Amino acid sequence: MAHEQPRRDVDIFWDLGSCPVPTNTSGFTVVSQIRTLALRLGIVKSFKAYLSISDQDSNDQALTPRSELQSSGMSLTDVKQEIADMLIVDMLVHAFDRNSQNDSSIIMLIAGDPRFSYLLSILRKRNYRVVVLGPGGGQDDYLNKSASLASQANSWLDWNTEIMDSIRAEIPRSATAGANSASQTTENLDLTPDTGSERTSETKEKRAGAIDKDTSDRMQPGRDHNTEVNSSVEVVIEHFDERPDVGIVQRQKSPIIGLKSLNNWVKSVLIIRFAYPALQKSSVSSDERGRRGGGRGKVLDMGCGKGGDLVKWSKARIKELLCVEFAAVSVEQARSRYQSMDPSSFEASFASLDYYTEPLAKAFSPEKLSTPFDVVSMQFRMQYAFETLEKTRTMLGNVSRYLRPGGVFVGTIPDADLLMQELDALPPDTDDLSFGNNVYQIRFEQREPRPVFGHKYWLSLQDAVEDVPEYVVHWDNFVECV
């Protein structure tokens, strides 16, 4: 007798920003249609939706479907920042908590944002079956940006065909005119599991604009590149202080939004896999302080920038966060971003300090530093310290002096092996020691020597940094310094 194959668990994540409930349509009806579709795949174990607070109006017409969604048996989360940032972190937490290894779980993502593409490829590597329900025509629909999402899903279902057509009588004709009704399946859900190899999307996001091919010869006004600056950090501080905080809407239009999303994903994984276990063993908890949230753990974000990781730490349910950055304007922008968040999530303190040359005690009071940190995070900042041995020692001293025994130090640095590989690939007779593409340019000043400290290059990254000095960080040397 043939044994019936057990039904898979289905967990639904819905981005209401890219797949909203249409005007004059019942929220109950839309949720019912989604559940009916999901039940064809398996047993619905969880249903979560995310709605941007900035997208909500105070009028009754806008509040009615929101109330209906809350009453329909699903979980609705209000998001003050970008929906994708929170949704990506929640999906990662879900994936690592479940740790699917038996091809029994399905994740259904309802979204049209291409920034989820890389996350989907990672979920598939972990044996999750990924179903995307989104607007547009899947892999062939480049105008609606659904191609990259469809290429990373096991199955692509069209939002207009599967959901909107079923309730078309309730939707004004103008809302559905011209909708593409294609529904494409890239892989049957009943086939054997993925082998783990990452599938490359046939299309990549077109990047607007280009960096001048002569970037290596371009000079910043008032800067003499033939004269050694007193401190490369001063140049970086000047650059970061001059860059405005453009806000969520403008960041979405960035030509390197895909790269920024990848960086955020990498940092989220570092937090989930390495920082979170250390936080759970912390002695710093809400019970001890009795003021904010229900979090646990104390974190030092050394190089906090404009506060881009605040949401990530909030999702990690920490108790206390100390943020320090060498660029004073960035610190104020980070403080402002924190003040716009839920005040009950965690405590935070902000300070400006050159942590490559000065001790952390100059930025925070003894009371703030009396309890050691469970986690120290340093994202895309360590390379500036390797200008000199002294700066490197000061930076690492600020980490080790205040990190508890058993604590975790997480961070990211440029890949020195790849930098050297690209430098060695340049023609031996060329004087132009630069390489890159229309998005980034890297220029070295010389081939040899290659010192352990002070091996400088200049980096330009579209819509991020322009001709900023950085230093090669060789991993073996970093470990030896630690």
Side-chain angles (χ1 to χ4, degrees), residues 22 35 46 87 113 141 149 161 171 175 243 251 316 341 361 379 391 428 434 449 456 474 481:
R35 286 186 182 276
S46 65
L87 211 162
D113 193 331
D141 194 353
L149 276 177
T161 301
I171 306 175
R243 285 191 61 82
R251 285 198 295 271
M341 297 173 60
Q379 307 297 332
K391 288 186 176 182
S434 62
K456 181 190 292 186
H474 293 282
C481 290

Side-chain angles (χ1 to χ4, degrees), residues 32 151 206 231 268 295 298 353 438 482:
S32 176
S151 68
K206 295 183 178 180
S231 172
S268 296
K298 184 177 180 181
L353 177 77
N438 67 328
V482 172

Side-chain angles (χ1 to χ4, degrees), residues 7 10 12 33-44 108:
R7 302 191 70 193
V10 180
I12 305 171
Q33 291 294 334
I34 294 173
R35 286 186 182 276
T36 300
L37 178 62
L39 286 171
R40 295 187 343 220
L41 304 173
I43 302 173
V44 177
M108 172 182 278

Side-chain angles (χ1 to χ4, degrees), residues 236-244 306 326-331 333:
V236 179
I237 291 174
E238 179 183 356
H239 170 82
F240 285 136
D241 279 348
E242 289 177 353
R243 285 191 61 82
K306 303 178 189 299
F326 47 65
V329 174
S330 294
V331 171
Q333 291 170 341

Side-chain angles (χ1 to χ4, degrees), residues 73-289:
M74 53 170 286
S75 170
L76 181 62
T77 301
D78 293 332
V79 182
K80 291 186 178 181
Q81 287 76 30
E82 298 176 24
I83 292 178
D85 288 346
M86 180 172 289
L87 211 162
I88 286 174
V89 173
D90 277 359
M91 292 178 69
L92 282 170
V93 171
H94 169 83
F96 284 115
D97 283 347
R98 292 290 296 272
N99 195 26
S100 177
Q101 297 295 333
N102 58 5
D103 192 36
S104 64
S105 298
I106 295 175
I107 290 181
M108 172 182 278
L109 173 65
I110 307 174
D113 193 331
R115 289 180 296 171
F116 291 106
S117 300
Y118 190 76
L119 170 63
L120 299 187
S121 71
I122 298 300
L123 291 175
R124 293 186 62 191
K125 284 185 177 181
R126 297 184 66 84
N127 288 332
Y128 282 95
R129 317 299 289 173
V130 178
V131 177
V132 176
L133 177 62
Q139 287 183 304
D140 297 329
D141 194 353
Y142 305 108
L143 293 179
N144 285 329
K145 299 181 179 180
S146 62
S148 59
L149 276 177
S151 68
Q152 301 301 336
N154 296 98
S155 180
W156 169 270
L157 303 173
D158 182 65
W159 170 261
N160 297 303
T161 301
E162 302 291 341
I163 305 298
M164 293 297 98
D165 282 358
S166 301
I167 53 178
R168 189 177 296 274
E170 298 180 35
I171 306 175
R173 181 173 298 275
S174 59
T176 57
N180 189 325
S181 60
S183 183
Q184 301 181 354
T185 301
T186 59
E187 182 181 346
N188 190 295
L189 288 172
D190 291 330
L191 294 180
T192 56
D194 295 334
T195 59
S197 60
E198 182 175 354
R199 298 193 306 171
T200 304
S201 173
E202 296 178 0
T203 62
K204 295 183 179 180
E205 296 177 11
K206 295 183 178 180
R207 298 177 172 92
I211 295 178
D212 191 339
K213 293 182 179 179
D214 295 325
T215 298
S216 60
D217 298 325
R218 185 175 60 236
M219 302 295 180
Q220 289 277 34
R223 186 194 303 176
D224 182 2
H225 285 253
N226 294 321
T227 302
E228 188 72 20
V229 295
N230 292 333
S231 172
S232 295
V233 174
E234 294 176 2
V235 179
V236 179
I237 291 174
E238 179 183 356
H239 170 82
F240 285 136
D241 279 348
E242 289 177 353
R243 285 191 61 82
D245 189 359
V246 297
I248 294 176
V249 175
Q250 190 62 33
R251 285 198 295 271
Q252 294 297 315
K253 300 178 181 179
S254 170
I256 59 168
I257 185 64
L259 178 60
K260 291 180 178 180
S261 298
L262 172 61
N263 289 343
N264 282 324
W265 179 86
V266 169
K267 290 187 287 185
S268 296
V269 171
L270 287 175
I271 292 173
I272 293 170
R273 295 203 60 181
F274 301 105
Y276 189 74
L279 294 170
Q280 294 307 294
K281 299 177 181 179
S282 174
S283 61
V284 179
S285 66
S286 298
D287 293 336
E288 173 186 325
R289 297 180 178 268

Side-chain angles (χ1 to χ4, degrees), residues 391-465:
K391 288 186 176 182
T392 304
R393 283 176 171 170
T394 301
M395 175 199 72
L396 292 176
N398 281 326
V399 175
S400 61
R401 188 172 296 112
Y402 300 103
L403 184 65
R404 70 167 172 82
V408 175
F409 177 33
V410 296
T412 52
I413 53 176
D415 188 336
D417 292 338
L418 182 59
L419 289 172
M420 295 300 97
Q421 177 181 322
E422 293 292 338
L423 179 60
D424 291 337
L426 296 174
D429 56 347
T430 185
D431 294 327
D432 180 10
L433 301 181
S434 62
F435 52 87
N437 55 28
N438 67 328
V439 175
Y440 82 97
Q441 287 285 321
I442 288 177
R443 176 177 61 85
F444 278 87
E445 297 181 335
Q446 57 190 16
R447 291 182 186 270
E448 301 290 346
R450 300 182 179 184
V452 174
F453 297 96
H455 193 182
K456 181 190 292 186
Y457 60 90
W458 300 85
L459 170 67
S460 290
L461 178 63
Q462 191 176 359
D463 196 38
V465 296

Side-chain angles (χ1 to χ4, degrees), residues 298-304 320-326 331 349-378 391 393-404 409:
K298 184 177 180 181
V299 176
L300 171 64
D301 190 344
M302 199 157 72
C304 65
E320 185 177 3
L321 176 67
L322 271 63
C323 295
V324 61
E325 180 60 278
F326 47 65
V331 171
S349 303
F350 300 81
S352 175
L353 177 77
D354 182 356
Y355 36 80
Y356 306 122
T357 62
E358 298 178 296
L360 205 61
K362 291 190 66 174
F364 299 104
S365 66
E367 179 185 4
K368 286 288 184 183
L369 298 175
S370 60
T371 302
F373 298 101
D374 301 289
V375 176
V376 176
S377 174
M378 198 169 189
K391 288 186 176 182
R393 283 176 171 170
T394 301
M395 175 199 72
L396 292 176
N398 281 326
V399 175
S400 61
R401 188 172 296 112
Y402 300 103
L403 184 65
R404 70 167 172 82
F409 177 33

